[in-house]
Amino acid sequence: MNNFNITELTMVVLNRWKFIAVFTLASVAIASGAVFMITPKYTATTKLLPGNAVLADKARLFNDEIQQLYSFFGSGDDLDRLMSMASMDTSLKQVIHAFDLVNYYKIKEQDPGMRMYKTIRKFKKDLALVKTVNNELEFSFAHQSKDTAATVVNFMAEQTAVKMQSIWKKQYEKIGVQLDSSIAEISNQYNALALTTTDTDALTKTKMAALLSQLEQFNKMSIETKMAATTTPAALIVLEKATPPAKMSWPDKAVVLPLSALLGFIFSTCLILLTAKPKRF
């Protein structure tokens, strides 16, 4: 049985160094040509902080003693909630329609559902939603137009903030409708008793006083709820707004060209060893 001879293998490789050099340079040249032929993409990023959901509590408006306890910045739970909202298909569809990404990705499906499905899949490959160790949220998007890349991520940040604020607002508006309904019902009961009561009817007067007290309380709550609905806090705090990137993100010449040289060197070396067939290998 032949033994492995590292010296012989080394000599075989050294004797064919010109072939390895030419093959490596050719690999770099081919990669360079491919890099210049590929349509470049630009990645824009915006950095955000979550707003504090507790600030949506109407108590912040009417209790001076606890207003100073609230922080403007949210927790990790607020961050996860915003990421989940931004990555929903319904949110992505709004971006796709706003920037006509179906045509950008050249999806030719006839079925509208399948066309949107494939567009979302391609969109997600160019999109990155990242939660950093500093409890920040980063939206990144790669596009052939540097201006569009920046506009898309800024649009997504604004859209996510508006959706969260809309949720808070709708909750208070729903409570306000329920309070107004209760106020109308209590007012009817009070007016009905007022029409039938007499000066000597103590029980009815007691009921009317209780209804009047309840009515005043509900009116106060209704006013507070409507004020809270119109003063919803910021759901997102923009730390760094996305701007058109100065350089392309793909293809990355600093990565592609050295990698092609390394692969060319390895492949050519392996090819020499396989074809040379040294006596002891």
Side-chain angles (χ1 to χ4, degrees):
M1 180 175 180
N2 294 330
N3 297 321
F4 180 87
N5 192 326
I6 189 65
T7 303
E8 184 178 354
L9 295 179
T10 303
M11 292 304 300
V12 169
V13 172
L14 291 177
N15 290 334
R16 300 290 301 276
W17 70 267
K18 290 183 179 180
F19 173 80
I20 295 175
V22 171
F23 195 96
T24 301
L25 291 175
S27 299
V28 174
I30 293 172
S32 300
V35 165
F36 287 106
M37 291 178 63
I38 295 174
T39 303
K41 284 188 177 182
Y42 301 86
T43 300
T45 303
T46 181
K47 291 186 178 181
L48 314 160
L49 279 175
N52 192 351
V54 180
L55 289 175
D57 185 357
K58 67 183 181 64
R60 82 189 194 282
L61 298 173
F62 308 103
N63 193 332
D64 296 333
E65 296 180 0
I66 64 173
Q67 282 185 358
Q68 302 303 321
L69 299 179
Y70 289 113
S71 169
F72 286 106
F73 307 115
S75 63
D77 291 337
D78 296 314
L79 190 63
D80 292 337
R81 195 176 297 113
L82 290 172
M83 285 189 65
S84 176
M85 185 174 295
S87 60
M88 292 190 306
D89 283 356
T90 52
S91 299
L92 299 182
K93 286 177 182 178
Q94 291 182 353
V95 181
I96 289 171
H97 289 307
F99 294 91
D100 195 20
L101 295 184
V102 174
N103 287 330
Y104 169 71
Y105 289 118
K106 299 178 181 178
I107 306 299
K108 302 298 183 181
E109 288 286 343
Q110 296 297 322
D111 179 66
M114 184 57 66
R115 185 165 60 245
M116 180 56 65
Y117 170 75
K118 289 189 175 182
T119 303
I120 290 175
R121 288 187 61 184
K122 285 184 172 292
F123 182 33
K124 286 182 176 179
K125 290 180 180 179
D126 290 331
L127 179 67
L129 305 179
V130 179
K131 178 181 178 180
T132 70
V133 294
N134 296 322
N135 213 33
E136 299 172 350
L137 182 60
E138 290 185 354
F139 288 176
S140 299
F141 178 61
H143 194 277
Q144 294 176 3
S145 167
K146 59 179 69 177
D147 294 326
T148 302
T151 305
V152 166
V153 290
N154 289 329
F155 176 84
M156 288 190 67
E158 182 180 354
Q159 172 186 256
T160 304
V162 169
K163 280 189 175 182
M164 182 58 73
Q165 288 179 309
S166 176
I167 291 174
W168 294 338
K169 183 177 181 179
K170 286 180 179 179
Q171 291 300 317
Y172 279 121
E173 288 177 344
K174 183 178 179 179
I175 295 172
V177 171
Q178 294 173 344
L179 286 171
D180 289 342
S181 177
S182 298
I183 290 170
E185 184 179 349
I186 295 172
S187 297
N188 291 334
Q189 293 177 12
Y190 181 86
N191 292 332
L193 290 175
L195 294 175
T196 59
T197 187
T198 61
D199 293 338
T200 59
D201 192 349
L203 180 59
T204 302
K205 287 184 177 181
T206 301
K207 290 182 179 180
M208 290 177 63
L211 288 173
L212 187 60
S213 175
Q214 191 176 8
L215 189 61
E216 291 176 354
Q217 183 180 1
F218 275 38
N219 276 320
K220 180 182 177 182
M221 291 174 61
S222 178
I223 293 172
E224 292 177 354
T225 300
K226 290 175 181 177
M227 288 182 63
T230 57
T231 57
T232 52
L236 281 176
I237 300 169
V238 179
L239 292 178
E240 183 179 347
K241 192 173 183 180
T243 56
K247 56 181 293 187
M248 65 182 180
S249 57
W250 177 258
D252 189 346
K253 298 177 184 177
V255 174
V256 173
L257 297 185
L259 183 60
S260 64
L262 177 61
L263 293 176
F265 174 81
I266 293 174
F267 183 82
S268 59
T269 303
C270 292
L271 186 62
I272 289 173
L273 294 176
L274 290 173
T275 56
K277 297 180 180 181
K279 294 181 181 179
R280 291 181 296 277
F281 181 67

